[in-house]
Amino acid sequence: MIPLSYAASHAWKIKWDRFVIPWPLSRIVIAVGEPVYVAKGLNADGLARLQSDMEHRLAALFEEAQSALG
């Protein structure tokens, strides 16, 4: 999996799922993280750790994208 996040200078934000739709002509920054490899046959505990790790990576990438907007 490749973690990916973006931020826009101006955007509509849909409340129920927090989806962001950039306005036309707004600036967009895309932040791409290091690939994460998922082992075959990963058990439930491993998947939970992977999910938590991915959540933290995505939050950090979003902060990185927002800070790059200035």
Side-chain angles (χ1 to χ4, degrees):
M1 295 185 292
I2 299 176
L4 171 77
S5 187
Y6 73 95
S9 59
H10 300 288
W12 292 286
K13 294 179 179 96
I14 300 176
K15 291 182 183 180
W16 63 275
D17 67 352
R18 293 186 270 170
F19 189 71
V20 176
I21 302 171
W23 291 2
L25 304 177
S26 61
R27 291 183 332 137
I28 298 172
V29 174
I30 299 172
V32 181
E34 293 291 322
V36 175
Y37 297 93
V38 181
K40 242 184 202 181
L42 195 60
N43 63 18
D45 289 336
L47 282 175
R49 283 192 302 275
L50 183 63
Q51 179 182 2
S52 177
D53 179 54
M54 187 60 73
E55 185 177 335
H56 289 103
R57 287 174 187 248
L58 289 171
L61 286 170
F62 179 71
E63 291 298 323
E64 183 181 320
Q66 276 209 308
S67 68
L69 281 174

